[in-house]
Amino acid sequence: MDTEAILTLLQEVAAEVITPRFQALANHEVHEKNPGDLVTIADREAEVLITAALQAAFPDAVVLGEEAYAEDRSIMERFMAADHAFTVDPVDGTKNFVNGSPDHAVMASEIINGRVQRAWIWQPQHQRAYIAVRDQGAWCNGEKMQLKGAASPLRGVTSRRKWLHRTLGDLAPLELTWISCGIDYPHLIEGDADFIVYIGTNPWDHAPGSLLLEEAGGYVGTFDGFPYTPVDGLPGIIAAADEATYSLVQALVAADV
């Protein structure tokens, strides 16, 4: 499947099984995988459809879906070792979706030899489609995206509620993200924040946005000072508007954790 075909797949699946459930979920269609970690019928049905289409087109690839991983943890080992793999996040920002917020997304990425090569983010309620192709660029609804670099003073956000209002060095206190990586990374590119601090590093959450950000001129690295890859398994991610901002924040985080 070419790049546009995979975007169309995400859009069609969203139109079929996600958007009809938006602000219309019944109680029995929402469950907790773990305390506070929600899954809906839309997540499950969307992932099945997207995974089936990708497996049909790429039968030798490993497809790592968020809900498949919840059922079978061994898929992560196969993903980490695979020469060719995909990630699928059927409803990124499930809590937002359940609570009736438009800030949710459908995401996928293609990984070859441990590096993200293509990425897709579809925001069905905002009607914004993001595509990134390694060494070719990043686009939103067909328009090329390019970061202008970090602002001054720096604005940092985090999805870890325990870190809200935490200060790193002399930087302003951390604010809350949009609680969906498929929303967060585009906001960073669009200048609504200068860096994001994440604790979780699930590949389906970060592989798509990381390539989108990098191809727009940003930088994504770990708390340990290494460039981010979806197969490194290192804890903590800092996504930044440029490498200099990443280096500054990384040093402050390393001294603080």
Side-chain angles (χ1 to χ4, degrees), residues 56-102:
F58 305 96
D60 295 329
V62 173
V63 180
L64 173 65
E66 178 177 5
E67 307 315 324
Y69 174 72
E71 297 294 328
D72 177 10
R73 296 301 178 97
S74 70
I75 193 173
M76 184 65 78
E77 295 179 12
R78 300 196 297 275
F79 168 79
M80 293 289 191
D83 294 331
H84 189 196
F86 287 86
T87 65
V88 175
D89 194 340
V91 182
D92 182 67
T94 299
K95 282 185 181 179
N96 289 349
F97 180 72
V98 169
N99 291 329
S101 167

Short mmCIF file of all heavy atoms in Angstrom, two decimals, residues 56-102:
data_model
loop_
_atom_site.label_atom_id
_atom_site.label_comp_id
_atom_site.label_asym_id
_atom_site.label_seq_id
_atom_site.Cartn_x
_atom_site.Cartn_y
_atom_site.Cartn_z
N ALA A 56 -2.69 -7.94 5.12
CA ALA A 56 -2.97 -8.41 3.76
C ALA A 56 -2.00 -7.80 2.76
O ALA A 56 -1.56 -8.46 1.82
CB ALA A 56 -4.41 -8.07 3.39
N ALA A 57 -1.66 -6.53 2.97
CA ALA A 57 -0.75 -5.84 2.05
C ALA A 57 0.71 -6.18 2.31
O ALA A 57 1.52 -6.20 1.38
CB ALA A 57 -0.96 -4.33 2.16
N PHE A 58 1.04 -6.46 3.58
CA PHE A 58 2.42 -6.73 3.97
C PHE A 58 2.44 -7.99 4.85
O PHE A 58 2.60 -7.90 6.08
CB PHE A 58 3.01 -5.54 4.73
CG PHE A 58 2.93 -4.23 4.01
CD1 PHE A 58 1.89 -3.34 4.26
CD2 PHE A 58 3.88 -3.88 3.06
CE1 PHE A 58 1.80 -2.13 3.61
CE2 PHE A 58 3.81 -2.66 2.38
CZ PHE A 58 2.76 -1.79 2.66
N PRO A 59 2.26 -9.16 4.27
CA PRO A 59 2.10 -10.39 5.06
C PRO A 59 3.29 -10.76 5.92
O PRO A 59 3.14 -11.49 6.91
CB PRO A 59 1.82 -11.46 4.00
CG PRO A 59 2.31 -10.88 2.71
CD PRO A 59 2.13 -9.41 2.82
N ASP A 60 4.48 -10.27 5.60
CA ASP A 60 5.66 -10.61 6.38
C ASP A 60 5.96 -9.61 7.51
O ASP A 60 6.89 -9.81 8.28
CB ASP A 60 6.89 -10.72 5.46
CG ASP A 60 6.76 -11.86 4.47
OD1 ASP A 60 6.12 -12.87 4.81
OD2 ASP A 60 7.28 -11.73 3.34
N ALA A 61 5.19 -8.55 7.57
CA ALA A 61 5.44 -7.51 8.58
C ALA A 61 4.76 -7.87 9.90
O ALA A 61 3.71 -8.51 9.92
CB ALA A 61 4.95 -6.16 8.08
N VAL A 62 5.36 -7.42 10.99
CA VAL A 62 4.73 -7.52 12.31
C VAL A 62 3.90 -6.26 12.54
O VAL A 62 4.40 -5.15 12.35
CB VAL A 62 5.79 -7.65 13.42
CG1 VAL A 62 5.14 -7.58 14.80
CG2 VAL A 62 6.57 -8.94 13.27
N VAL A 63 2.65 -6.43 12.91
CA VAL A 63 1.79 -5.29 13.21
C VAL A 63 1.56 -5.24 14.72
O VAL A 63 0.95 -6.13 15.29
CB VAL A 63 0.45 -5.37 12.46
CG1 VAL A 63 -0.41 -4.15 12.80
CG2 VAL A 63 0.68 -5.45 10.95
N LEU A 64 2.07 -4.20 15.33
CA LEU A 64 1.93 -4.01 16.78
C LEU A 64 0.80 -3.03 17.03
O LEU A 64 0.94 -1.82 16.84
CB LEU A 64 3.24 -3.45 17.37
CG LEU A 64 3.20 -3.05 18.85
CD1 LEU A 64 2.96 -4.27 19.75
CD2 LEU A 64 4.49 -2.34 19.25
N GLY A 65 -0.34 -3.55 17.45
CA GLY A 65 -1.48 -2.71 17.81
C GLY A 65 -1.58 -2.58 19.31
O GLY A 65 -1.24 -3.51 20.05
N GLU A 66 -2.07 -1.44 19.76
CA GLU A 66 -2.18 -1.22 21.20
C GLU A 66 -3.06 -2.27 21.87
O GLU A 66 -2.71 -2.82 22.92
CB GLU A 66 -2.75 0.17 21.49
CG GLU A 66 -2.94 0.44 22.97
CD GLU A 66 -3.43 1.83 23.29
OE1 GLU A 66 -3.74 2.59 22.35
OE2 GLU A 66 -3.50 2.17 24.49
N GLU A 67 -4.19 -2.58 21.24
CA GLU A 67 -5.11 -3.54 21.87
C GLU A 67 -4.61 -4.97 21.73
O GLU A 67 -4.82 -5.80 22.62
CB GLU A 67 -6.52 -3.38 21.29
CG GLU A 67 -7.07 -1.97 21.33
CD GLU A 67 -6.84 -1.28 22.67
OE1 GLU A 67 -6.91 -1.95 23.73
OE2 GLU A 67 -6.58 -0.06 22.67
N ALA A 68 -3.92 -5.28 20.62
CA ALA A 68 -3.33 -6.61 20.48
C ALA A 68 -2.28 -6.85 21.55
O ALA A 68 -2.18 -7.95 22.11
CB ALA A 68 -2.72 -6.77 19.09
N TYR A 69 -1.50 -5.82 21.84
CA TYR A 69 -0.47 -5.94 22.88
C TYR A 69 -1.10 -6.17 24.25
O TYR A 69 -0.58 -6.93 25.07
CB TYR A 69 0.40 -4.68 22.91
CG TYR A 69 1.38 -4.66 24.06
CD1 TYR A 69 2.49 -5.49 24.06
CD2 TYR A 69 1.18 -3.80 25.13
CE1 TYR A 69 3.40 -5.47 25.13
CE2 TYR A 69 2.07 -3.77 26.20
CZ TYR A 69 3.17 -4.60 26.19
OH TYR A 69 4.05 -4.59 27.24
N ALA A 70 -2.24 -5.53 24.50
CA ALA A 70 -2.92 -5.72 25.78
C ALA A 70 -3.35 -7.17 25.97
O ALA A 70 -3.40 -7.67 27.10
CB ALA A 70 -4.13 -4.80 25.87
N GLU A 71 -3.62 -7.85 24.86
CA GLU A 71 -4.05 -9.25 24.92
C GLU A 71 -2.88 -10.23 24.86
O GLU A 71 -2.97 -11.35 25.38
CB GLU A 71 -5.01 -9.54 23.76
CG GLU A 71 -6.30 -8.73 23.80
CD GLU A 71 -7.18 -9.07 24.99
OE1 GLU A 71 -7.16 -10.25 25.41
OE2 GLU A 71 -7.86 -8.17 25.50
N ASP A 72 -1.78 -9.83 24.21
CA ASP A 72 -0.65 -10.74 24.01
C ASP A 72 0.65 -9.94 24.08
O ASP A 72 1.08 -9.35 23.09
CB ASP A 72 -0.78 -11.45 22.65
CG ASP A 72 0.40 -12.37 22.34
OD1 ASP A 72 1.23 -12.60 23.25
OD2 ASP A 72 0.50 -12.83 21.18
N ARG A 73 1.28 -9.93 25.25
CA ARG A 73 2.48 -9.12 25.46
C ARG A 73 3.67 -9.61 24.62
O ARG A 73 4.61 -8.86 24.39
CB ARG A 73 2.86 -9.12 26.94
CG ARG A 73 1.82 -8.47 27.86
CD ARG A 73 1.59 -7.02 27.47
NE ARG A 73 0.57 -6.35 28.26
CZ ARG A 73 0.81 -5.59 29.30
NH1 ARG A 73 2.05 -5.42 29.73
NH2 ARG A 73 -0.18 -4.99 29.93
N SER A 74 3.63 -10.84 24.15
CA SER A 74 4.77 -11.37 23.39
C SER A 74 4.93 -10.68 22.04
O SER A 74 6.00 -10.76 21.42
CB SER A 74 4.61 -12.88 23.17
OG SER A 74 3.55 -13.17 22.27
N ILE A 75 3.89 -9.99 21.58
CA ILE A 75 4.00 -9.32 20.28
C ILE A 75 5.06 -8.23 20.31
O ILE A 75 5.66 -7.90 19.29
CB ILE A 75 2.63 -8.76 19.84
CG1 ILE A 75 2.66 -8.35 18.37
CG2 ILE A 75 2.21 -7.59 20.71
CD1 ILE A 75 1.30 -7.95 17.84
N MET A 76 5.33 -7.67 21.49
CA MET A 76 6.35 -6.63 21.59
C MET A 76 7.73 -7.19 21.25
O MET A 76 8.52 -6.52 20.56
CB MET A 76 6.37 -6.02 22.98
CG MET A 76 7.34 -4.85 23.14
SD MET A 76 6.91 -3.40 22.15
CE MET A 76 5.58 -2.71 23.16
N GLU A 77 8.04 -8.39 21.69
CA GLU A 77 9.33 -9.00 21.36
C GLU A 77 9.47 -9.20 19.86
O GLU A 77 10.53 -8.94 19.28
CB GLU A 77 9.48 -10.33 22.10
CG GLU A 77 9.54 -10.21 23.61
CD GLU A 77 9.67 -11.56 24.29
OE1 GLU A 77 9.93 -12.56 23.58
OE2 GLU A 77 9.50 -11.62 25.52
N ARG A 78 8.40 -9.65 19.22
CA ARG A 78 8.45 -9.84 17.77
C ARG A 78 8.61 -8.50 17.05
O ARG A 78 9.34 -8.40 16.06
CB ARG A 78 7.19 -10.56 17.30
CG ARG A 78 7.00 -11.94 17.93
CD ARG A 78 5.99 -12.79 17.18
NE ARG A 78 4.65 -12.23 17.19
CZ ARG A 78 3.77 -12.41 18.17
NH1 ARG A 78 4.10 -13.11 19.24
NH2 ARG A 78 2.56 -11.89 18.09
N PHE A 79 7.94 -7.49 17.56
CA PHE A 79 8.06 -6.15 16.98
C PHE A 79 9.49 -5.63 17.09
O PHE A 79 10.06 -5.11 16.13
CB PHE A 79 7.09 -5.21 17.69
CG PHE A 79 7.31 -3.76 17.39
CD1 PHE A 79 6.85 -3.20 16.20
CD2 PHE A 79 7.97 -2.93 18.29
CE1 PHE A 79 7.05 -1.85 15.92
CE2 PHE A 79 8.17 -1.59 18.01
CZ PHE A 79 7.71 -1.05 16.82
N MET A 80 10.08 -5.76 18.27
CA MET A 80 11.44 -5.25 18.49
C MET A 80 12.46 -5.93 17.59
O MET A 80 13.45 -5.32 17.18
CB MET A 80 11.82 -5.46 19.97
CG MET A 80 11.02 -4.63 20.95
SD MET A 80 11.43 -2.88 20.87
CE MET A 80 10.60 -2.25 22.34
N ALA A 81 12.23 -7.20 17.27
CA ALA A 81 13.19 -7.97 16.46
C ALA A 81 12.90 -7.91 14.97
O ALA A 81 13.73 -8.37 14.16
CB ALA A 81 13.19 -9.43 16.92
N ALA A 82 11.78 -7.33 14.57
CA ALA A 82 11.35 -7.40 13.17
C ALA A 82 12.14 -6.47 12.27
O ALA A 82 12.49 -5.35 12.66
CB ALA A 82 9.87 -7.06 13.09
N ASP A 83 12.41 -6.93 11.05
CA ASP A 83 13.00 -6.06 10.03
C ASP A 83 11.96 -5.08 9.49
O ASP A 83 12.30 -3.98 9.07
CB ASP A 83 13.55 -6.90 8.87
CG ASP A 83 14.72 -7.78 9.29
OD1 ASP A 83 15.46 -7.39 10.22
OD2 ASP A 83 14.89 -8.87 8.70
N HIS A 84 10.71 -5.52 9.47
CA HIS A 84 9.63 -4.70 8.92
C HIS A 84 8.44 -4.80 9.86
O HIS A 84 8.00 -5.89 10.21
CB HIS A 84 9.24 -5.21 7.52
CG HIS A 84 8.29 -4.30 6.80
ND1 HIS A 84 7.58 -4.71 5.69
CD2 HIS A 84 7.93 -3.00 7.02
CE1 HIS A 84 6.83 -3.70 5.26
NE2 HIS A 84 7.02 -2.65 6.04
N ALA A 85 7.92 -3.64 10.29
CA ALA A 85 6.81 -3.65 11.25
C ALA A 85 5.97 -2.40 11.08
O ALA A 85 6.37 -1.41 10.46
CB ALA A 85 7.35 -3.73 12.68
N PHE A 86 4.78 -2.47 11.64
CA PHE A 86 3.86 -1.33 11.71
C PHE A 86 3.39 -1.18 13.15
O PHE A 86 3.29 -2.16 13.88
CB PHE A 86 2.64 -1.54 10.81
CG PHE A 86 2.92 -1.42 9.34
CD1 PHE A 86 3.37 -2.52 8.62
CD2 PHE A 86 2.74 -0.22 8.67
CE1 PHE A 86 3.64 -2.42 7.26
CE2 PHE A 86 3.00 -0.11 7.31
CZ PHE A 86 3.45 -1.22 6.61
N THR A 87 3.07 0.05 13.53
CA THR A 87 2.34 0.29 14.78
C THR A 87 0.96 0.81 14.43
O THR A 87 0.78 1.50 13.41
CB THR A 87 3.04 1.32 15.68
OG1 THR A 87 3.05 2.61 15.04
CG2 THR A 87 4.46 0.90 16.01
N VAL A 88 -0.01 0.46 15.27
CA VAL A 88 -1.38 0.94 15.08
C VAL A 88 -1.92 1.40 16.42
O VAL A 88 -1.89 0.66 17.41
CB VAL A 88 -2.29 -0.18 14.52
CG1 VAL A 88 -3.74 0.31 14.45
CG2 VAL A 88 -1.82 -0.64 13.14
N ASP A 89 -2.40 2.62 16.47
CA ASP A 89 -3.11 3.14 17.64
C ASP A 89 -4.49 3.54 17.14
O ASP A 89 -4.66 4.60 16.52
CB ASP A 89 -2.38 4.33 18.25
CG ASP A 89 -2.90 4.68 19.64
OD1 ASP A 89 -4.04 4.28 19.95
OD2 ASP A 89 -2.18 5.35 20.39
N PRO A 90 -5.51 2.70 17.35
CA PRO A 90 -6.80 2.92 16.70
C PRO A 90 -7.55 4.16 17.18
O PRO A 90 -8.17 4.85 16.38
CB PRO A 90 -7.58 1.64 17.03
CG PRO A 90 -6.94 1.14 18.29
CD PRO A 90 -5.49 1.48 18.18
N VAL A 91 -7.49 4.44 18.50
CA VAL A 91 -8.05 5.68 19.04
C VAL A 91 -7.04 6.20 20.06
O VAL A 91 -7.04 5.80 21.21
CB VAL A 91 -9.42 5.48 19.70
CG1 VAL A 91 -9.96 6.83 20.19
CG2 VAL A 91 -10.41 4.84 18.74
N ASP A 92 -6.17 7.08 19.61
CA ASP A 92 -5.21 7.69 20.52
C ASP A 92 -5.92 8.83 21.25
O ASP A 92 -6.52 9.71 20.62
CB ASP A 92 -4.02 8.23 19.73
CG ASP A 92 -2.98 8.84 20.65
OD1 ASP A 92 -2.36 8.08 21.41
OD2 ASP A 92 -2.80 10.07 20.61
N GLY A 93 -5.86 8.80 22.58
CA GLY A 93 -6.63 9.75 23.36
C GLY A 93 -8.00 9.18 23.68
O GLY A 93 -9.02 9.87 23.57
N THR A 94 -8.02 7.90 24.10
CA THR A 94 -9.30 7.24 24.36
C THR A 94 -10.11 7.96 25.44
O THR A 94 -11.33 8.09 25.33
CB THR A 94 -9.08 5.76 24.75
OG1 THR A 94 -8.45 5.09 23.66
CG2 THR A 94 -10.40 5.08 25.05
N LYS A 95 -9.44 8.43 26.50
CA LYS A 95 -10.18 9.16 27.54
C LYS A 95 -10.86 10.40 26.96
O LYS A 95 -12.01 10.72 27.30
CB LYS A 95 -9.25 9.56 28.69
CG LYS A 95 -8.91 8.43 29.63
CD LYS A 95 -8.09 8.95 30.80
CE LYS A 95 -7.72 7.82 31.76
NZ LYS A 95 -6.90 8.31 32.89
N ASN A 96 -10.15 11.12 26.10
CA ASN A 96 -10.76 12.28 25.45
C ASN A 96 -11.98 11.85 24.64
O ASN A 96 -13.03 12.50 24.69
CB ASN A 96 -9.75 12.96 24.53
CG ASN A 96 -8.65 13.68 25.28
OD1 ASN A 96 -8.71 13.85 26.49
ND2 ASN A 96 -7.61 14.09 24.56
N PHE A 97 -11.82 10.76 23.88
CA PHE A 97 -12.91 10.24 23.05
C PHE A 97 -14.12 9.89 23.91
O PHE A 97 -15.26 10.27 23.61
CB PHE A 97 -12.40 9.02 22.29
CG PHE A 97 -13.40 8.37 21.38
CD1 PHE A 97 -13.80 8.97 20.20
CD2 PHE A 97 -13.95 7.13 21.71
CE1 PHE A 97 -14.74 8.37 19.37
CE2 PHE A 97 -14.87 6.51 20.87
CZ PHE A 97 -15.27 7.13 19.71
N VAL A 98 -13.87 9.18 25.00
CA VAL A 98 -14.96 8.77 25.89
C VAL A 98 -15.64 9.99 26.51
O VAL A 98 -16.87 10.02 26.68
CB VAL A 98 -14.43 7.83 27.00
CG1 VAL A 98 -15.48 7.61 28.08
CG2 VAL A 98 -14.00 6.50 26.40
N ASN A 99 -14.86 11.01 26.82
CA ASN A 99 -15.40 12.21 27.46
C ASN A 99 -15.99 13.21 26.47
O ASN A 99 -16.39 14.32 26.86
CB ASN A 99 -14.31 12.89 28.29
CG ASN A 99 -13.94 12.08 29.51
OD1 ASN A 99 -14.76 11.36 30.08
ND2 ASN A 99 -12.68 12.17 29.93
N GLY A 100 -16.03 12.82 25.20
CA GLY A 100 -16.65 13.69 24.20
C GLY A 100 -15.77 14.79 23.66
O GLY A 100 -16.26 15.74 23.03
N SER A 101 -14.44 14.69 23.89
CA SER A 101 -13.51 15.70 23.38
C SER A 101 -13.10 15.35 21.94
O SER A 101 -12.82 14.19 21.64
CB SER A 101 -12.26 15.78 24.25
OG SER A 101 -11.25 16.52 23.60
N PRO A 102 -13.03 16.34 21.06
CA PRO A 102 -12.57 16.09 19.69
C PRO A 102 -11.08 15.78 19.60
O PRO A 102 -10.60 15.38 18.53
CB PRO A 102 -12.90 17.39 18.96
CG PRO A 102 -12.86 18.44 20.03
CD PRO A 102 -13.39 17.76 21.27
#
